[in-house]
């Protein structure tokens, strides 16, 4: 059988079954297909290596836009002072509701010269900024799904206590807001009226 094959026939020289050479040819074809797919995926098909086709660039642009949209969806709320109206007004209303409903009755005792508080705290820009930051931290750290069981403790230690010290201290934004000097428009925390029923006039 070897005599019937020509000298140029590799199977005659190696005495290897012809089916093995067919398998090798199949492997070469598979490698060529994979190489073509790889070039298409990496933008190397039809041009210089590394050069993306117009379709690839368009696809990449769409993917980038999708990623930007996802990033925008994951953005966190900005500092309230960076908001413009009406977004600022909406955020301030929600903040007032939290301060009056949670912070004032739960954490602020009787105001005193060494622990001041202003009924019109929302007219003090530094107070608004600090209380808004405190509220954002409260939203995150009181959610067990995101912070576990230690979140509330962290909120008290790292956020509430320092914030209240700064606001109510002798050099804080309420330093000039005492009951004696502002008896009509500044009230004690326990007497804070609803933010939705502000006195007129």
């Amino acid at each position: 059988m070897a005599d019937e094959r020509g000298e140029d026939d590799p199977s005659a020289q190696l005495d290897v079954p012809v089916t093995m050479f067919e398998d090798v040819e199949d492997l070469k074809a598979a490698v060529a297909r994979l190489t073509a797919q790889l070039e298409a995926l990496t933008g190397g098909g039809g041009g210089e290596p590394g050069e993306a086709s117009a379709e690839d660039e368009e696809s990449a642009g769409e993917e980038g836009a999708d990623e930007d949209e996802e990033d925008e969806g994951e953005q966190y709320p900005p500092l309230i002072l960076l908001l413009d109206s009406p977004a600022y007004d909406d955020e301030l209303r929600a903040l007032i509701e939290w301060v009056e409903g949670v912070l004032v009755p739960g954490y602020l005792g009787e105001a005193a010269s060494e622990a001041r508080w202003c009924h019109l705290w929302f007219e003090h820009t530094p107070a608004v900024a600090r209380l808004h930051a405190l509220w954002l931290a409260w939203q995150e750290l009181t959610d067990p799904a995101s912070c576990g069981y230690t979140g509330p403790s962290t909120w008290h230690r790292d956020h509430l206590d320092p914030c209240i010290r700064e606001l109510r201290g002798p050099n804080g934004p309420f330093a000039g807001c005492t009951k004696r000097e502002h008896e009509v428009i500044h009230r004690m925390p326990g007497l804070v009226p609803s933010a939705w029923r502000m006195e007129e006039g």
Side-chain angles (χ1 to χ4, degrees):
M1 182 118 178
D3 295 335
E4 296 174 2
R5 300 182 190 134
E7 292 182 2
D8 295 336
D9 189 345
S11 63
Q13 296 173 3
L14 300 174
D15 197 23
V16 177
V18 175
T19 56
M20 181 173 287
F21 287 100
E22 292 173 353
D23 292 342
V24 169
E25 291 303 318
D26 289 342
L27 287 173
K28 286 181 181 178
V31 168
R33 282 194 307 273
L34 289 173
T35 302
Q37 291 175 356
L38 180 61
E39 288 177 352
L41 291 173
T42 59
E48 294 296 322
E51 182 180 333
S53 67
E55 291 181 3
D56 294 335
E57 290 178 358
E58 183 179 341
S59 174
E62 291 175 359
E63 290 176 5
D66 291 342
E67 289 177 3
D68 290 342
E69 288 177 6
E70 290 176 6
D71 290 343
E72 288 176 5
E74 296 176 358
Q75 287 182 349
Y76 297 100
L79 179 69
I80 191 171
L81 300 183
L82 300 178
L83 299 175
D84 293 323
S85 193
Y88 177 88
D89 299 331
D90 293 341
E91 193 76 358
L92 182 60
R93 273 193 290 274
L95 176 61
I96 290 172
E97 188 172 298
W98 178 77
V99 169
E100 288 193 355
V102 175
L103 191 66
V104 168
Y107 293 97
L108 300 184
E110 189 76 6
S113 59
E114 66 278 359
R116 299 172 188 252
W117 180 256
C118 178
H119 162 60
L120 299 177
W121 59 267
F122 43 84
E123 293 184 2
H124 297 266
T125 302
V128 170
R130 285 185 181 276
L131 290 170
H132 184 255
L134 182 65
W135 177 47
L136 293 179
W138 180 82
Q139 291 178 71
E140 178 181 344
L141 293 172
T142 56
D143 180 7
S146 65
C147 63
Y149 294 112
T150 59
S153 175
T154 301
W155 180 76
H156 283 87
R157 182 195 67 203
D158 295 346
H159 301 278
L160 175 68
D161 293 344
C163 178
I164 296 302
R165 272 197 304 271
E166 290 295 323
L167 289 178
R168 303 189 78 180
N171 297 320
F174 309 140
C177 303
T178 63
K179 183 180 178 184
R180 177 177 226 166
E181 296 172 359
H182 307 282
E183 195 168 20
V184 176
I185 61 174
H186 294 83
R187 297 179 176 83
M188 308 296 277
L191 303 176
V192 173
S194 169
W196 320 124
R197 292 184 286 106
M198 295 296 296
E199 292 182 4
E200 297 181 1

